[in-house]
């Protein structure tokens, strides 16, 4: 089917789910997340929410807590306070984290996918094996199904001819696209990107941004930490500007980029543009 | 004469090989436990293990052989090992195993700690267990990284087995040297070198093969 048809399909789908229940539409609700490392407070009472099928961009200067926020969502860090709800259900309540078993944590973190700045592909596995590994080990899928899904995902990433390559045989941009396929293979509700193009040569960022753009047009629910402002502007439905651990400003891309209210936001956007 | 010497040296080399192989059998896994101990999050255990490793690596193996063999007799008033050939061999095996386990543990630790945290985190976010991450992701990368230092260490072990003669384990050099007294000839001692060379050459080929096998990926 062509693009227009797909859009229409999704439009109808969306209408249907909207008619079902209103709150059913919220994919993620983060309330009161705080996190300190020793005496350094990195996140202060962070709140935001994300609708299904939407993309949110998080921007902000170095050290403002963007990575830490994503790591809290993925259970790589434990927030000191706060609640994370996914699809209306409490996924993480900082006050009862201690009582969660390892197995429970593994199950819950699968609601999120994570794409790292440094790709972190497994070097001893081919692109295909990287994508298949977790579905086979964790979801106990049979190899045949896992393989055909991986082939499909890699082809969506434009890597059909690279399935049998090892990571060191791929360019950074290709490695990052494998990493995206690997995350998608676990069918996360929400896909997180931590500066997915920051480790890439400038000429390779385009190919990665374009697959993310593609995911966005297929209504993948995403959180994207990025320094690519024009990309953030046209791919996301919502933009959060973080500054020393708080969300200082938020809104639609046009609001935040076109008409920033806070001085710090203006200064930050000014420094990036130049 | 040449035949007599060769047979005697082969016998001695049999003993050398036995000590070499049994040391590996014990030291390779023991080293892994020691390396886990030296990375333990329980500080007293970590410090104790690192102290032991420091002592063992910081003193000569020859001294350790003597202490392990004669120590119990002197300090406990009772020769733990028995004074026959077998007892001396066991004492040597114990000393070699502990000594090499400590060296191996440092190599393992270096290998394990050199794996970037990102590899573990990539596994975690995909829902893998710690065991799965270690077995399916980390282990092979560690092996690839430690093959070169391990092969050095293992080839050193081949030659170090000759130290066992200080407690009269009849390995190849002991046998070669005995011809000086019994027949007044020294060449059998030189001849022992050929056995060492051949065997360490064989090991080099083996390790190069393993390195080649693992060269399909980079980490
Ligand atoms: N494990 C940690 N221990 C101590 N401090 C940490 C740790 N992780 C992060 N921090 C601190 O928390 C602050 C926020 O870090 P974070 O990585 O979340 O920032 P960021 O917004 O992602 O920055 P960047 O744009 O550079 O990636 C920094 O001051 C950092 O030094
Ligand atoms: Mg960061």
């Amino acid at each position: 089917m062509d693009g227009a048809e797909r859009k229409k399909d999704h439009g109808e789908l969306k209408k249907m789910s909207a008619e079902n229940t209103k709150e059913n539409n919220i994919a993620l609700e983060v309330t009161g997340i705080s996190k300190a490392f020793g005496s350094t407070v990195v996140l202060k009472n962070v709140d935001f929410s994300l609708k299904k099928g939407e993309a949110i961009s998080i921007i902000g200067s170095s050290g403002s807590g963007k990575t830490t926020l994503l790591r809290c969502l993925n259970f790589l860090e434990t927030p000191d306070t706060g609640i994370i709800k996914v699809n209306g259900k409490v996924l993480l309540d900082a006050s009862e984290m201690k009582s969660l078993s390892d197995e429970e944590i593994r199950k819950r973190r699968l609601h999120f996918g994570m794409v790292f700045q440094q790709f972190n592909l497994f070097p001893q596995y081919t692109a295909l094996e990287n994508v298949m590994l977790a579905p086979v080990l964790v979801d106990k899928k049979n190899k045949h199904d896992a393989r055909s899904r991986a082939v499909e995902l890699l082809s969506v990433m434009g890597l059909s001819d690279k399935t049998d390559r090892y990571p060191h045989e791929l360019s950074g941009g290709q490695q990052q696209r494998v990493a995206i396929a690997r995350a998608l293979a676990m069918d996360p509700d929400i896909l997180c990107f931590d500066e997915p193009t920051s480790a890439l040569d400038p000429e390779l960022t385009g190919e990665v941004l374009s697959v993310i753009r593609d995911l966005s047009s297929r209504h993948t629910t995403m959180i994207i930490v990025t320094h690519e402002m024009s990309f953030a502007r046209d791919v996301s439905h919502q933009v959060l500007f973080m500054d020393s651990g708080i969300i200082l400003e938020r809104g639609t891309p046009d609001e935040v980029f076109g008409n920033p209210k806070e001085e710090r936001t203006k200064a930050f956007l000014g420094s990036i543009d130049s | 004469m040449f035949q007599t010497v060769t047979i005697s040296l082969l016998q001695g080399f049999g003993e050398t090989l036995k000590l070499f192989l049994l040391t590996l059998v014990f030291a390779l896994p023991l080293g892994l436990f020691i390396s886990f101990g030296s990375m333990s999050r329980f500080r007293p255990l970590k410090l104790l293990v690192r102290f032991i490793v420091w002592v063992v690596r910081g003193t000569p193996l020859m001294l350790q052989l003597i202490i392990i063999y004669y120590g119990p007799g002197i300090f406990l008033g009772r020769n733990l090992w028995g004074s026959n050939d077998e007892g001396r061999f066991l004492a040597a095996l114990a000393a070699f195993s502990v000594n090499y386990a400590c060296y191996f543990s440092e190599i393992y630790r270096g290998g394990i700690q050199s794996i970037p945290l990102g590899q573990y985190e990539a596994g975690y976010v995909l829902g893998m267990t710690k065991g799965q991450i270690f077995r399916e992701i980390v282990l092979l990368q560690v092996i690839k990284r430690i093959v070169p230092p391990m092969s050095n260490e293992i080839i050193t072990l081949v030659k170090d087995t000759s130290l066992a003669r200080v407690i009269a384990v009849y390995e190849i050099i002991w046998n070669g040297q005995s011809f000086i007294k019994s027949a007044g000839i020294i060449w059998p001692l030189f001849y022992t070198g050929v056995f060492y060379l051949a065997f360490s050459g064989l090991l080099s080929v083996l390790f190069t093969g393993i390195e080649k096998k693992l060269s399909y990926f980079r980490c």
Side-chain angles (χ1 to χ4, degrees):
Chain A
M1 74 178 114
D2 67 25
E5 244 174 66
R6 195 156 60 211
K7 260 214 172 103
K8 202 177 108 214
D9 261 17
H10 273 294
E12 249 151 37
L13 253 163
K14 256 187 160 169
K15 221 163 76 200
M16 273 167 55
S17 63
E19 277 161 8
N20 273 345
T21 33
K22 273 270 148 53
E23 65 267 31
N24 217 356
N25 227 356
I26 304 286
L28 172 67
E29 225 180 323
V30 171
T31 10
I33 293 285
S34 299
K35 173 75 184 170
F37 293 105
S39 58
T40 332
V41 181
V42 177
L43 295 174
K44 293 172 215 162
N45 226 351
V46 170
D47 295 317
F48 69 92
S49 63
L50 177 58
K51 287 198 189 118
K52 279 181 191 160
E54 288 196 351
I56 200 167
S57 288
I58 304 180
I59 59 172
S61 55
S62 183
S64 54
K66 307 180 297 291
T67 296
T68 307
L69 179 57
L70 288 191
R71 291 173 61 84
C72 286
L73 298 179
N74 283 277
F75 291 75
L76 290 174
E77 303 286 358
T78 311
D80 301 328
T81 65
I83 290 174
I84 295 170
K85 278 190 190 173
V86 170
N87 299 332
K89 270 190 270 175
V90 174
L91 191 70
L92 184 157
D93 182 340
S95 59
E96 43 182 56
M97 263 306 278
K98 287 231 165 62
S99 58
L100 286 186
S101 65
D102 281 359
E103 190 180 349
E104 191 58 34
I105 289 177
R106 281 197 303 279
K107 238 169 70 192
R108 294 190 184 192
R109 66 163 31 123
L110 284 177
H111 288 279
F112 292 92
M114 179 79 163
V115 174
F116 299 92
Q117 187 173 343
Q118 299 295 341
F119 331 135
N120 297 341
L121 291 182
F122 308 129
Q124 72 267 45
Y125 293 118
T126 62
L128 191 71
E129 290 165 342
N130 263 276
V131 180
M132 287 171 60
L133 189 66
V136 172
L137 285 180
V138 179
D139 283 348
K140 312 286 178 211
K141 267 197 191 165
N142 75 52
K143 284 214 162 140
H144 182 81
D145 294 349
R147 176 179 302 267
S148 52
R149 180 81 204 289
V151 167
E152 182 192 320
L153 285 167
L154 285 170
S155 101
V156 172
M157 294 295 127
L159 293 169
S160 291
D161 53 337
K162 305 289 182 203
T163 52
D164 295 327
R165 292 301 170 88
Y166 288 93
H168 76 272
E169 300 170 324
L170 300 171
S171 72
Q174 291 164 343
Q175 288 186 53
Q176 191 61 299
R177 286 183 280 150
V178 174
I180 295 171
R182 181 176 70 176
L184 287 170
M186 295 303 283
D187 296 311
D189 295 317
I190 298 151
L191 188 53
C192 304
F193 295 85
D194 190 6
E195 301 194 35
T197 60
S198 290
L200 299 176
D201 293 337
E203 70 269 22
L204 298 177
T205 59
E207 65 190 53
V208 172
L209 295 182
S210 99
V211 300
I212 300 174
R213 211 172 257 138
D214 226 51
L215 291 175
S216 163
S217 66
R218 291 156 186 253
H219 304 282
T220 308
T221 314
M222 296 188 285
I223 304 175
I224 309 164
V225 170
T226 183
H227 288 297
E228 300 282 339
M229 295 305 148
S230 60
F231 168 75
R233 187 164 188 166
D234 61 52
V235 84
S236 47
H237 301 78
Q238 214 189 137
V239 177
L240 309 181
F241 172 68
M242 283 190 71
D243 187 66
S244 10
I246 61 168
I247 297 175
L248 188 64
E249 187 157 357
R250 67 180 83 207
T252 64
D254 283 340
E255 285 164 359
V256 175
F257 291 111
N259 186 18
K261 295 189 179 57
E262 300 285 340
E263 283 310 315
R264 312 265 327 207
T265 318
K266 285 178 198 165
F268 173 76
L269 291 174
S271 72
I272 291 278
D273 280 343
S274 59
Chain B
M1 194 64 201
F2 183 73
Q3 209 177 0
T4 322
V5 170
T6 305
I7 287 170
S8 165
L9 293 191
L10 273 176
Q11 258 168 18
F13 196 59
E15 205 66 1
T16 296
L17 274 186
K18 201 168 100 189
L19 182 57
F20 169 79
L21 290 173
L22 286 173
T23 298
L24 286 185
V25 166
F26 292 110
L28 289 172
L30 181 61
L32 195 60
F33 286 112
I34 296 176
S35 78
F36 288 150
S38 72
M39 292 184 286
S40 170
R41 257 182 261 158
F42 181 57
R43 252 180 88 82
L45 177 66
K46 182 175 96 173
L47 292 179
L48 177 69
V49 171
R50 291 205 180 178
F51 177 75
I52 293 171
V53 171
W54 175 69
V55 170
V56 171
R57 298 209 316 158
T59 55
L61 175 53
M62 189 187 285
L63 190 59
Q64 291 164 19
L65 276 161
I66 292 169
I67 291 174
I68 286 190
Y69 182 58
Y70 295 107
I74 294 165
F75 298 115
L76 307 177
R78 185 162 76 83
N79 187 343
L80 205 69
W81 307 104
S83 48
N84 55 4
D85 294 355
E86 212 168 292
R88 289 196 301 276
F89 182 84
L90 280 181
L93 179 59
F96 272 88
S97 297
V98 169
N99 181 278
Y100 270 81
C102 287
Y103 278 96
F104 291 158
S105 79
E106 287 295 279
I107 296 177
Y108 293 152
R109 181 161 72 92
I112 291 172
Q113 290 181 336
S114 72
I115 304 302
L117 206 57
Q119 291 289 305
Y120 293 87
E121 293 187 341
Y124 285 134
V125 298
L126 292 166
M128 294 182 199
T129 64
K130 285 189 178 126
Q132 287 171 334
I133 292 172
F134 188 75
R135 285 190 307 274
E136 310 286 337
I137 299 171
V138 174
L139 187 60
L140 194 63
Q141 296 182 45
V142 171
I143 291 174
K144 184 181 166 87
R145 285 178 191 215
I146 67 174
V147 166
M150 285 298 280
S151 62
N152 278 333
E153 210 57 60
I154 288 172
I155 286 170
T156 303
L157 170 61
V158 177
K159 295 169 287 177
D160 271 359
T161 52
S162 62
L163 291 171
R165 53 191 264 287
V166 298
I167 56 169
V169 171
Y170 304 134
E171 45 71 66
I172 183 170
I173 290 203
W174 178 287
N175 284 9
Q177 208 174 14
S178 69
F179 284 97
I180 299 177
K181 256 198 220 148
S182 65
I185 48 174
I186 197 166
W187 63 263
L189 187 55
F190 300 164
Y191 182 22
T192 61
V194 174
F195 290 79
Y196 285 107
L197 266 182
F199 189 58
S200 50
L202 187 77
L203 287 177
S204 294
V205 171
L206 180 75
F207 287 123
T208 311
I210 296 176
E211 276 179 54
K212 265 230 181 84
K213 259 221 135 126
L214 292 173
S215 66
Y216 68 91
F217 72 96
R218 288 205 200 124
C219 68

mmCIF file of all heavy atoms in Angstrom, chain A residues 15 17 69-70 88 91 101 105 139-140 142 144 154 161 167 174 185 201 203 222 230 237 258 273:
data_model
loop_
_atom_site.group_PDB
_atom_site.id
_atom_site.type_symbol
_atom_site.label_atom_id
_atom_site.label_comp_id
_atom_site.label_asym_id
_atom_site.label_seq_id
_atom_site.Cartn_x
_atom_site.Cartn_y
_atom_site.Cartn_z
ATOM 1 N N LYS A 15 -9.034 6.693 15.229
ATOM 2 C CA LYS A 15 -10.383 7.121 15.566
ATOM 3 C C LYS A 15 -11.071 6.034 16.405
ATOM 4 O O LYS A 15 -11.680 6.308 17.427
ATOM 5 C CB LYS A 15 -11.182 7.393 14.286
ATOM 6 C CG LYS A 15 -12.051 8.635 14.393
ATOM 7 C CD LYS A 15 -12.519 9.157 13.056
ATOM 8 C CE LYS A 15 -13.636 8.342 12.463
ATOM 9 N NZ LYS A 15 -13.754 8.564 11.006
ATOM 10 N N SER A 17 -9.695 3.736 18.305
ATOM 11 C CA SER A 17 -9.194 3.597 19.668
ATOM 12 C C SER A 17 -9.613 4.805 20.506
ATOM 13 O O SER A 17 -9.853 4.678 21.696
ATOM 14 C CB SER A 17 -7.683 3.424 19.690
ATOM 15 O OG SER A 17 -7.072 4.572 19.171
ATOM 16 N N LEU A 69 17.120 10.341 32.756
ATOM 17 C CA LEU A 69 15.666 10.149 32.659
ATOM 18 C C LEU A 69 15.345 8.888 31.838
ATOM 19 O O LEU A 69 14.549 8.043 32.264
ATOM 20 C CB LEU A 69 15.030 11.398 32.035
ATOM 21 C CG LEU A 69 13.516 11.357 31.846
ATOM 22 C CD1 LEU A 69 12.798 11.101 33.158
ATOM 23 C CD2 LEU A 69 13.018 12.674 31.222
ATOM 24 N N LEU A 70 15.986 8.753 30.685
ATOM 25 C CA LEU A 70 15.744 7.551 29.869
ATOM 26 C C LEU A 70 16.160 6.291 30.610
ATOM 27 O O LEU A 70 15.495 5.258 30.538
ATOM 28 C CB LEU A 70 16.527 7.621 28.546
ATOM 29 C CG LEU A 70 16.057 8.589 27.474
ATOM 30 C CD1 LEU A 70 16.787 8.302 26.163
ATOM 31 C CD2 LEU A 70 14.562 8.501 27.262
ATOM 32 N N GLY A 88 -1.690 3.087 31.289
ATOM 33 C CA GLY A 88 -2.606 3.217 32.411
ATOM 34 C C GLY A 88 -2.266 2.378 33.629
ATOM 35 O O GLY A 88 -2.896 2.521 34.669
ATOM 36 N N LEU A 91 3.915 0.973 36.331
ATOM 37 C CA LEU A 91 5.010 0.079 35.957
ATOM 38 C C LEU A 91 6.111 0.166 36.995
ATOM 39 O O LEU A 91 6.759 -0.808 37.337
ATOM 40 C CB LEU A 91 5.557 0.509 34.594
ATOM 41 C CG LEU A 91 6.525 -0.445 33.931
ATOM 42 C CD1 LEU A 91 5.786 -1.685 33.475
ATOM 43 C CD2 LEU A 91 7.189 0.228 32.742
ATOM 44 N N SER A 101 11.255 -8.350 42.288
ATOM 45 C CA SER A 101 12.258 -9.374 41.981
ATOM 46 C C SER A 101 12.945 -9.026 40.665
ATOM 47 O O SER A 101 12.425 -8.262 39.859
ATOM 48 C CB SER A 101 11.579 -10.735 41.859
ATOM 49 O OG SER A 101 10.706 -10.719 40.751
ATOM 50 N N ILE A 105 11.415 -7.150 37.268
ATOM 51 C CA ILE A 105 12.059 -5.993 36.619
ATOM 52 C C ILE A 105 12.315 -6.294 35.142
ATOM 53 O O ILE A 105 12.038 -5.466 34.271
ATOM 54 C CB ILE A 105 13.381 -5.624 37.335
ATOM 55 C CG1 ILE A 105 13.054 -5.010 38.701
ATOM 56 C CG2 ILE A 105 14.208 -4.654 36.495
ATOM 57 C CD1 ILE A 105 14.264 -4.666 39.527
ATOM 58 N N ASP A 139 12.064 -14.120 24.837
ATOM 59 C CA ASP A 139 10.673 -14.443 24.492
ATOM 60 C C ASP A 139 10.471 -15.913 24.161
ATOM 61 O O ASP A 139 9.341 -16.342 23.934
ATOM 62 C CB ASP A 139 10.232 -13.623 23.262
ATOM 63 C CG ASP A 139 9.925 -12.188 23.625
ATOM 64 O OD1 ASP A 139 9.835 -11.913 24.833
ATOM 65 O OD2 ASP A 139 9.763 -11.369 22.708
ATOM 66 N N LYS A 140 11.567 -16.673 24.105
ATOM 67 C CA LYS A 140 11.512 -18.102 23.779
ATOM 68 C C LYS A 140 10.802 -18.351 22.441
ATOM 69 O O LYS A 140 10.107 -19.342 22.271
ATOM 70 C CB LYS A 140 10.800 -18.912 24.883
ATOM 71 C CG LYS A 140 11.275 -18.613 26.281
ATOM 72 C CD LYS A 140 12.644 -19.221 26.540
ATOM 73 C CE LYS A 140 13.136 -18.856 27.942
ATOM 74 N NZ LYS A 140 14.592 -18.749 28.030
ATOM 75 N N ASN A 142 10.653 -19.439 18.586
ATOM 76 C CA ASN A 142 11.494 -20.396 17.869
ATOM 77 C C ASN A 142 12.336 -19.656 16.842
ATOM 78 O O ASN A 142 11.993 -18.571 16.376
ATOM 79 C CB ASN A 142 10.682 -21.559 17.282
ATOM 80 C CG ASN A 142 9.896 -21.162 16.055
ATOM 81 O OD1 ASN A 142 10.462 -20.600 15.107
ATOM 82 N ND2 ASN A 142 8.614 -21.440 16.060
ATOM 83 N N HIS A 144 13.113 -20.021 13.836
ATOM 84 C CA HIS A 144 12.610 -19.751 12.502
ATOM 85 C C HIS A 144 11.785 -18.455 12.482
ATOM 86 O O HIS A 144 11.994 -17.572 11.656
ATOM 87 C CB HIS A 144 11.768 -20.935 12.016
ATOM 88 C CG HIS A 144 11.250 -20.758 10.638
ATOM 89 N ND1 HIS A 144 12.028 -21.002 9.522
ATOM 90 C CD2 HIS A 144 10.050 -20.327 10.187
ATOM 91 C CE1 HIS A 144 11.332 -20.735 8.449
ATOM 92 N NE2 HIS A 144 10.117 -20.325 8.814
ATOM 93 N N LEU A 154 15.129 -5.781 9.562
ATOM 94 C CA LEU A 154 16.336 -5.246 8.939
ATOM 95 C C LEU A 154 16.018 -4.668 7.570
ATOM 96 O O LEU A 154 16.632 -3.685 7.143
ATOM 97 C CB LEU A 154 17.419 -6.331 8.845
ATOM 98 C CG LEU A 154 18.099 -6.648 10.183
ATOM 99 C CD1 LEU A 154 18.981 -7.883 10.069
ATOM 100 C CD2 LEU A 154 18.931 -5.458 10.666
ATOM 101 N N ASP A 161 20.734 -6.200 2.611
ATOM 102 C CA ASP A 161 21.970 -6.796 2.083
ATOM 103 C C ASP A 161 23.064 -6.905 3.148
ATOM 104 O O ASP A 161 24.172 -7.306 2.851
ATOM 105 C CB ASP A 161 22.473 -5.970 0.902
ATOM 106 C CG ASP A 161 22.615 -4.499 1.254
ATOM 107 O OD1 ASP A 161 21.949 -4.049 2.212
ATOM 108 O OD2 ASP A 161 23.411 -3.808 0.589
ATOM 109 N N PRO A 167 29.157 -6.520 13.213
ATOM 110 C CA PRO A 167 29.152 -5.089 13.467
ATOM 111 C C PRO A 167 30.385 -4.346 12.957
ATOM 112 O O PRO A 167 30.254 -3.262 12.389
ATOM 113 C CB PRO A 167 29.048 -5.018 14.993
ATOM 114 C CG PRO A 167 28.252 -6.227 15.352
ATOM 115 C CD PRO A 167 28.693 -7.288 14.386
ATOM 116 N N GLN A 174 24.919 2.235 9.809
ATOM 117 C CA GLN A 174 24.321 0.906 9.642
ATOM 118 C C GLN A 174 24.223 0.199 10.987
ATOM 119 O O GLN A 174 23.204 -0.429 11.294
ATOM 120 C CB GLN A 174 25.169 0.087 8.665
ATOM 121 C CG GLN A 174 25.081 0.614 7.240
ATOM 122 C CD GLN A 174 26.185 0.077 6.342
ATOM 123 O OE1 GLN A 174 27.195 -0.446 6.817
ATOM 124 N NE2 GLN A 174 26.010 0.218 5.030
ATOM 125 N N ALA A 185 12.594 -5.541 17.787
ATOM 126 C CA ALA A 185 12.293 -6.972 17.767
ATOM 127 C C ALA A 185 11.601 -7.436 19.048
ATOM 128 O O ALA A 185 10.939 -8.462 19.063
ATOM 129 C CB ALA A 185 13.570 -7.780 17.549
ATOM 130 N N ASP A 201 29.513 10.140 12.167
ATOM 131 C CA ASP A 201 30.024 11.185 11.285
ATOM 132 C C ASP A 201 28.832 11.916 10.685
ATOM 133 O O ASP A 201 27.797 11.301 10.414
ATOM 134 C CB ASP A 201 30.853 10.560 10.157
ATOM 135 C CG ASP A 201 32.135 9.929 10.683
ATOM 136 O OD1 ASP A 201 32.580 10.346 11.769
ATOM 137 O OD2 ASP A 201 32.662 9.019 10.025
ATOM 138 N N GLU A 203 27.951 12.846 7.841
ATOM 139 C CA GLU A 203 27.323 12.349 6.609
ATOM 140 C C GLU A 203 26.499 11.080 6.844
ATOM 141 O O GLU A 203 25.792 10.626 5.952
ATOM 142 C CB GLU A 203 28.365 12.137 5.505
ATOM 143 C CG GLU A 203 29.317 10.987 5.714
ATOM 144 C CD GLU A 203 30.598 11.393 6.458
ATOM 145 O OE1 GLU A 203 30.589 12.434 7.169
ATOM 146 O OE2 GLU A 203 31.602 10.666 6.333
ATOM 147 N N MET A 222 7.542 7.097 20.690
ATOM 148 C CA MET A 222 8.991 7.257 20.880
ATOM 149 C C MET A 222 9.338 8.423 21.785
ATOM 150 O O MET A 222 8.631 9.423 21.842
ATOM 151 C CB MET A 222 9.658 7.522 19.514
ATOM 152 C CG MET A 222 9.533 6.382 18.539
ATOM 153 S SD MET A 222 10.515 6.649 17.065
ATOM 154 C CE MET A 222 9.533 7.875 16.225
ATOM 155 N N SER A 230 16.429 20.541 14.004
ATOM 156 C CA SER A 230 15.435 20.603 12.924
ATOM 157 C C SER A 230 14.711 19.271 12.806
ATOM 158 O O SER A 230 13.522 19.202 12.510
ATOM 159 C CB SER A 230 16.088 20.997 11.602
ATOM 160 O OG SER A 230 17.050 20.050 11.257
ATOM 161 N N HIS A 237 5.803 15.399 18.311
ATOM 162 C CA HIS A 237 4.539 16.046 18.617
ATOM 163 C C HIS A 237 4.690 16.974 19.817
ATOM 164 O O HIS A 237 3.879 17.848 20.038
ATOM 165 C CB HIS A 237 3.472 14.997 18.937
ATOM 166 C CG HIS A 237 3.244 14.038 17.802
ATOM 167 N ND1 HIS A 237 4.095 12.993 17.539
ATOM 168 C CD2 HIS A 237 2.277 14.006 16.855
ATOM 169 C CE1 HIS A 237 3.652 12.325 16.482
ATOM 170 N NE2 HIS A 237 2.564 12.924 16.039
ATOM 171 N N GLY A 258 9.745 27.857 17.945
ATOM 172 C CA GLY A 258 9.350 29.091 17.273
ATOM 173 C C GLY A 258 9.198 30.262 18.229
ATOM 174 O O GLY A 258 9.489 31.407 17.876
ATOM 175 N N ASP A 273 22.022 26.772 17.193
ATOM 176 C CA ASP A 273 21.875 27.223 15.807
ATOM 177 C C ASP A 273 23.192 27.683 15.211
ATOM 178 O O ASP A 273 23.498 27.407 14.061
ATOM 179 C CB ASP A 273 20.844 28.373 15.723
ATOM 180 C CG ASP A 273 19.426 27.813 15.738
ATOM 181 O OD1 ASP A 273 19.292 26.617 15.484
ATOM 182 O OD2 ASP A 273 18.479 28.584 16.012
#
